[in-house]
Amino acid sequence: MRRPLVMGNWKLNGSKASVEKLLAELNAATQGINTVDIAVCPPALYIGQAEQLLANSAIALGAQNIDVNRQGAFTGELAADMLTEFSVKYVLVGHSERRAMHHENDDVVARKFEAVKEAGLVPVLCVGETQTERHNGETKDVIGHQLHAVIKRCGRNSFDNAVVAYEPVWAIGSGQAASPVDAQKVHEFIRAQVAAQSKDSAAALPILYGGSVKAANAKALFSMDDVDGALVGGASLDADEFTNIIKAAC
Ligand code: PGA
Protein backbone atom coordinates (compact mmCIF):
# COMPACT_ATOMS: atom_id res chain seq x y z
CA MET A 1 0.00 0.00 0.00
CA ARG A 2 1.47 3.36 -1.03
CA ARG A 3 1.36 6.23 1.45
CA PRO A 4 0.31 9.56 -0.06
CA LEU A 5 3.06 12.15 -0.36
CA VAL A 6 2.45 15.89 -0.70
CA MET A 7 5.51 18.02 -1.45
CA GLY A 8 5.84 21.78 -1.67
CA ASN A 9 8.26 23.22 -4.21
CA TRP A 10 8.94 26.78 -3.12
CA LYS A 11 11.02 27.55 -6.23
CA LEU A 12 12.84 30.92 -6.04
CA ASN A 13 10.68 32.36 -3.26
CA GLY A 14 11.24 33.24 0.35
CA SER A 15 13.29 35.12 2.90
CA LYS A 16 14.52 34.17 6.38
CA ALA A 17 11.39 35.77 7.80
CA SER A 18 8.95 34.06 5.45
CA VAL A 19 10.62 30.64 5.91
CA GLU A 20 10.24 31.01 9.67
CA LYS A 21 6.60 32.08 9.41
CA LEU A 22 5.53 29.48 6.86
CA LEU A 23 7.19 26.56 8.66
CA ALA A 24 5.79 27.63 12.04
CA GLU A 25 2.31 27.77 10.51
CA LEU A 26 2.73 24.43 8.73
CA ASN A 27 4.11 22.73 11.85
CA ALA A 28 1.08 23.86 13.80
CA ALA A 29 -1.48 23.10 11.10
CA THR A 30 -0.21 19.60 10.30
CA GLN A 31 0.02 18.36 13.90
CA GLY A 32 -1.68 15.00 14.19
CA ILE A 33 -1.65 14.25 10.46
CA ASN A 34 0.01 10.86 10.24
CA THR A 35 -1.42 9.22 7.17
CA VAL A 36 0.32 11.47 4.64
CA ASP A 37 4.03 12.07 4.08
CA ILE A 38 4.74 15.79 3.82
CA ALA A 39 7.83 17.54 2.48
CA VAL A 40 8.93 21.05 1.54
CA CYS A 41 11.69 22.08 -0.85
CA PRO A 42 12.99 25.55 0.08
CA PRO A 43 15.66 27.37 -1.92
CA ALA A 44 19.00 25.75 -0.99
CA LEU A 45 20.19 28.75 1.01
CA TYR A 46 17.37 28.24 3.53
CA ILE A 47 17.78 24.49 3.99
CA GLY A 48 19.90 24.88 7.15
CA GLN A 49 17.34 27.23 8.66
CA ALA A 50 14.50 24.91 7.65
CA GLU A 51 16.28 21.92 9.18
CA GLN A 52 16.30 23.67 12.56
CA LEU A 53 12.67 24.75 12.29
CA LEU A 54 11.63 21.20 11.36
CA ALA A 55 13.71 19.49 14.06
CA ASN A 56 10.67 18.08 15.89
CA SER A 57 8.35 17.94 12.91
CA ALA A 58 7.02 15.18 10.70
CA ILE A 59 7.57 17.47 7.70
CA ALA A 60 10.54 16.26 5.66
CA LEU A 61 12.99 18.41 3.72
CA GLY A 62 13.69 18.32 0.02
CA ALA A 63 16.08 20.20 -2.26
CA GLN A 64 15.17 21.61 -5.66
CA ASN A 65 18.35 20.71 -7.53
CA ILE A 66 21.88 19.36 -7.24
CA ASP A 67 24.90 19.14 -9.48
CA VAL A 68 25.94 15.90 -11.20
CA ASN A 69 29.36 16.19 -9.53
CA ARG A 70 30.13 15.24 -5.95
CA GLN A 71 32.88 17.81 -5.35
CA GLY A 72 35.52 19.88 -7.08
CA ALA A 73 35.90 22.97 -9.21
CA PHE A 74 32.23 23.58 -10.06
CA THR A 75 31.57 27.15 -8.98
CA GLY A 76 28.07 27.83 -7.77
CA GLU A 77 27.00 24.20 -7.56
CA LEU A 78 25.70 22.04 -4.76
CA ALA A 79 26.40 18.32 -4.18
CA ALA A 80 23.95 15.68 -3.01
CA ASP A 81 26.34 14.59 -0.25
CA MET A 82 26.20 18.09 1.25
CA LEU A 83 22.45 17.78 1.59
CA THR A 84 22.80 14.66 3.72
CA GLU A 85 24.34 16.86 6.43
CA PHE A 86 21.11 18.87 6.63
CA SER A 87 18.54 16.07 7.09
CA VAL A 88 17.39 16.41 3.49
CA LYS A 89 15.43 13.38 2.28
CA TYR A 90 14.24 14.23 -1.23
CA VAL A 91 15.83 15.96 -4.24
CA LEU A 92 13.87 17.13 -7.28
CA VAL A 93 15.53 16.24 -10.56
CA GLY A 94 14.47 17.25 -14.03
CA HIS A 95 11.93 19.89 -13.10
CA SER A 96 10.67 21.37 -16.37
CA GLU A 97 11.93 24.81 -15.38
CA ARG A 98 15.44 23.38 -15.16
CA ARG A 99 15.02 21.38 -18.36
CA ALA A 100 13.81 24.48 -20.23
CA MET A 101 15.77 27.33 -18.65
CA HIS A 102 18.96 25.54 -17.69
CA HIS A 103 19.14 23.23 -20.69
CA GLU A 104 19.11 20.01 -18.68
CA ASN A 105 18.59 17.20 -21.17
CA ASP A 106 17.50 13.65 -20.35
CA ASP A 107 21.12 12.55 -19.96
CA VAL A 108 21.97 15.28 -17.45
CA VAL A 109 18.77 14.54 -15.55
CA ALA A 110 19.65 10.83 -15.42
CA ARG A 111 23.12 11.69 -14.07
CA LYS A 112 21.55 13.86 -11.38
CA PHE A 113 19.13 11.06 -10.52
CA GLU A 114 22.10 8.72 -10.12
CA ALA A 115 23.99 11.24 -7.95
CA VAL A 116 20.99 11.58 -5.63
CA LYS A 117 20.74 7.81 -5.25
CA GLU A 118 24.46 7.44 -4.66
CA ALA A 119 24.16 9.91 -1.77
CA GLY A 120 21.41 7.74 -0.28
CA LEU A 121 18.66 10.31 -0.89
CA VAL A 122 15.33 9.93 -2.66
CA PRO A 123 15.19 11.39 -6.17
CA VAL A 124 11.90 12.91 -7.33
CA LEU A 125 12.05 12.62 -11.11
CA CYS A 126 9.86 15.24 -12.77
CA VAL A 127 8.49 14.32 -16.19
CA GLY A 128 5.94 15.95 -18.45
CA GLU A 129 5.06 17.15 -21.92
CA THR A 130 4.75 20.67 -23.30
CA GLN A 131 1.55 22.07 -24.77
CA THR A 132 2.81 21.48 -28.32
CA GLU A 133 3.83 17.92 -27.57
CA ARG A 134 0.40 17.31 -26.09
CA HIS A 135 -1.34 18.72 -29.18
CA ASN A 136 0.84 16.53 -31.38
CA GLY A 137 -0.14 13.42 -29.42
CA GLU A 138 3.45 12.93 -28.21
CA THR A 139 2.81 12.81 -24.44
CA LYS A 140 3.67 9.13 -23.99
CA ASP A 141 6.70 9.33 -26.29
CA VAL A 142 8.15 12.24 -24.36
CA ILE A 143 7.53 10.74 -20.94
CA GLY A 144 8.75 7.33 -22.11
CA HIS A 145 12.05 8.92 -23.16
CA GLN A 146 12.38 10.79 -19.89
CA LEU A 147 11.85 7.58 -17.90
CA HIS A 148 14.05 5.39 -20.08
CA ALA A 149 17.00 7.77 -19.90
CA VAL A 150 17.02 7.06 -16.15
CA ILE A 151 16.49 3.32 -16.57
CA LYS A 152 19.33 3.19 -19.11
CA ARG A 153 21.72 4.80 -16.65
CA CYS A 154 20.55 3.35 -13.32
CA GLY A 155 19.14 -0.02 -14.34
CA ARG A 156 15.96 -2.03 -13.89
CA ASN A 157 15.57 -1.11 -10.24
CA SER A 158 16.06 2.64 -10.79
CA PHE A 159 12.76 3.48 -9.20
CA ASP A 160 13.23 1.60 -5.93
CA ASN A 161 13.16 4.22 -3.21
CA ALA A 162 12.38 6.98 -5.70
CA VAL A 163 9.42 9.18 -6.60
CA VAL A 164 8.11 10.27 -10.01
CA ALA A 165 6.17 13.51 -10.44
CA TYR A 166 4.05 13.91 -13.56
CA GLU A 167 4.06 17.63 -14.25
CA PRO A 168 2.58 18.60 -17.61
CA VAL A 169 4.51 21.74 -18.55
CA TRP A 170 1.34 23.50 -19.73
CA ALA A 171 -0.24 23.02 -16.30
CA ILE A 172 2.60 24.49 -14.24
CA GLY A 173 1.72 27.90 -12.86
CA SER A 174 -1.06 28.27 -15.44
CA GLY A 175 -4.06 27.72 -13.17
CA GLN A 176 -5.07 24.97 -15.60
CA ALA A 177 -4.47 21.58 -13.94
CA ALA A 178 -4.81 18.34 -15.89
CA SER A 179 -8.19 16.72 -15.35
CA PRO A 180 -8.13 13.81 -12.90
CA VAL A 181 -8.91 11.38 -15.73
CA ASP A 182 -6.14 12.72 -17.97
CA ALA A 183 -3.67 12.65 -15.07
CA GLN A 184 -4.66 9.06 -14.24
CA LYS A 185 -4.02 7.95 -17.86
CA VAL A 186 -0.47 9.27 -17.75
CA HIS A 187 0.20 7.97 -14.24
CA GLU A 188 -0.98 4.52 -15.33
CA PHE A 189 1.37 4.71 -18.31
CA ILE A 190 4.29 5.70 -16.05
CA ARG A 191 3.61 2.81 -13.67
CA ALA A 192 3.40 0.38 -16.60
CA GLN A 193 6.76 1.56 -17.94
CA VAL A 194 8.35 0.97 -14.55
CA ALA A 195 6.53 -2.37 -14.12
CA ALA A 196 8.05 -3.59 -17.38
CA GLN A 197 11.41 -3.33 -15.56
CA SER A 198 10.36 -4.34 -12.06
CA LYS A 199 6.84 -5.09 -10.85
CA ASP A 200 7.84 -4.56 -7.23
CA SER A 201 9.29 -1.11 -7.77
CA ALA A 202 6.25 -0.11 -9.83
CA ALA A 203 3.85 -1.23 -7.10
CA ALA A 204 5.71 0.72 -4.42
CA LEU A 205 6.46 3.84 -6.51
CA PRO A 206 4.72 7.06 -5.43
CA ILE A 207 3.65 8.92 -8.57
CA LEU A 208 2.75 12.53 -7.76
CA TYR A 209 0.80 14.92 -9.93
CA GLY A 210 2.06 18.52 -10.24
CA GLY A 211 0.76 21.55 -12.11
CA SER A 212 -1.72 24.05 -10.61
CA VAL A 213 -2.73 21.81 -7.72
CA LYS A 214 -4.97 23.73 -5.32
CA ALA A 215 -7.12 22.76 -2.34
CA ALA A 216 -10.11 22.95 -4.69
CA ASN A 217 -8.89 20.32 -7.18
CA ALA A 218 -6.71 18.12 -4.95
CA LYS A 219 -9.37 15.70 -3.71
CA ALA A 220 -10.54 14.77 -7.21
CA LEU A 221 -6.95 14.23 -8.37
CA PHE A 222 -6.10 12.11 -5.31
CA SER A 223 -9.17 9.94 -5.87
CA MET A 224 -7.49 8.46 -8.96
CA ASP A 225 -5.90 5.01 -8.45
CA ASP A 226 -2.41 5.96 -9.60
CA VAL A 227 -2.23 9.51 -8.25
CA ASP A 228 -0.35 9.11 -4.99
CA GLY A 229 -0.04 12.74 -4.00
CA ALA A 230 1.12 16.06 -5.36
CA LEU A 231 4.10 18.26 -6.07
CA VAL A 232 2.75 21.72 -5.35
CA GLY A 233 4.33 25.00 -6.46
CA GLY A 234 2.50 28.28 -5.90
CA ALA A 235 -0.09 26.91 -3.49
CA SER A 236 2.62 25.53 -1.18
CA LEU A 237 3.62 29.09 -0.22
CA ASP A 238 0.33 29.58 1.60
CA ALA A 239 0.10 27.54 4.82
CA ASP A 240 -3.71 27.24 4.78
CA GLU A 241 -3.92 26.27 1.13
CA PHE A 242 -1.07 23.76 1.39
CA THR A 243 -2.54 22.24 4.56
CA ASN A 244 -5.89 21.80 2.85
CA ILE A 245 -4.15 20.01 -0.02
CA ILE A 246 -2.45 17.72 2.53
CA LYS A 247 -5.79 17.08 4.22
CA ALA A 248 -7.31 16.12 0.87
CA ALA A 249 -4.79 13.26 0.76
CA CYS A 250 -5.71 11.96 4.25
P1 PGA B 1 2.44 25.05 -9.63
O1 PGA B 1 3.91 24.41 -9.82
O2 PGA B 1 1.77 24.26 -8.52
O3 PGA B 1 2.68 26.48 -9.23
O4 PGA B 1 1.72 24.92 -10.92
C1 PGA B 1 4.14 23.04 -9.71
C2 PGA B 1 5.60 22.73 -9.91
O5 PGA B 1 6.24 23.36 -10.76
O6 PGA B 1 6.17 21.86 -9.22
Side-chain angles (χ1 to χ4, degrees):
M1 193 57 201
R2 295 183 296 271
R3 260 172 80 82
L5 168 62
V6 176
M7 300 185 71
N9 172 11
W10 295 358
K11 308 191 181 185
L12 185 51
N13 294 293
S15 62
K16 279 188 182 176
S18 74
V19 169
E20 182 158 357
K21 180 169 180 287
L22 182 51
L23 290 182
E25 289 171 352
L26 282 179
N27 270 331
T30 58
Q31 285 294 321
I33 296 180
N34 50 24
T35 53
V36 181
D37 289 332
I38 306 166
V40 293
C41 305
L45 199 55
Y46 299 118
I47 283 176
Q49 184 195 4
E51 181 195 24
Q52 291 183 4
L53 295 165
L54 296 176
N56 297 310
S57 168
I59 301 172
L61 257 180
Q64 299 175 18
N65 179 42
I66 50 132
D67 190 37
V68 295
N69 298 291
R70 299 188 89 153
Q71 61 170 33
F74 303 101
T75 302
E77 295 297 343
L78 186 71
D81 295 298
M82 294 173 180
L83 298 173
T84 63
E85 290 197 290
F86 293 90
S87 313
V88 168
K89 177 169 183 187
Y90 301 98
V91 185
L92 307 184
V93 290
H95 190 283
S96 65
E97 286 152 15
R98 295 212 58 88
R99 290 181 191 263
M101 296 173 206
H102 299 271
H103 313 293
E104 292 188 9
N105 60 27
D106 284 347
D107 181 51
V108 169
V109 173
R111 289 170 65 201
K112 290 192 172 192
F113 187 100
E114 185 177 43
V116 175
K117 290 209 102 178
E118 280 175 0
L121 301 175
V122 180
V124 179
L125 176 70
C126 302
V127 298
E129 81 286 6
T130 63
Q131 180 80 279
T132 311
E133 289 161 347
R134 182 178 191 229
H135 279 310
N136 294 344
E138 294 166 353
T139 299
K140 288 183 178 172
D141 272 1
V142 170
I143 292 171
H145 274 110
Q146 292 171 335
L147 293 171
H148 283 279
V150 167
I151 293 165
K152 188 170 157 218
R153 184 153 194 111
C154 302
R156 297 185 82 82
N157 299 318
S158 300
F159 292 101
D160 281 354
N161 205 22
V163 175
V164 173
Y166 169 50
E167 298 210 305
V169 180
W170 48 270
I172 295 176
S174 67
Q176 181 80 53
S179 73
V181 170
D182 284 351
Q184 168 59 24
K185 282 185 195 150
V186 178
H187 283 226
E188 208 176 313
F189 169 77
I190 292 168
R191 203 176 302 286
Q193 296 298 300
V194 175
Q197 305 295 324
S198 161
K199 286 205 165 51
D200 289 347
S201 16
L205 178 69
I207 306 179
L208 312 183
Y209 168 78
S212 297
V213 176
K214 306 271 183 287
N217 58 21
K219 191 126 208 139
L221 286 159
F222 297 159
S223 72
M224 297 288 124
D225 281 354
D226 289 292
V227 178
D228 303 312
L231 180 55
V232 185
S236 71
L237 297 168
D238 179 306
D240 283 343
E241 187 75 12
F242 190 53
T243 304
N244 286 331
I245 294 170
I246 294 162
K247 287 185 174 157
C250 286

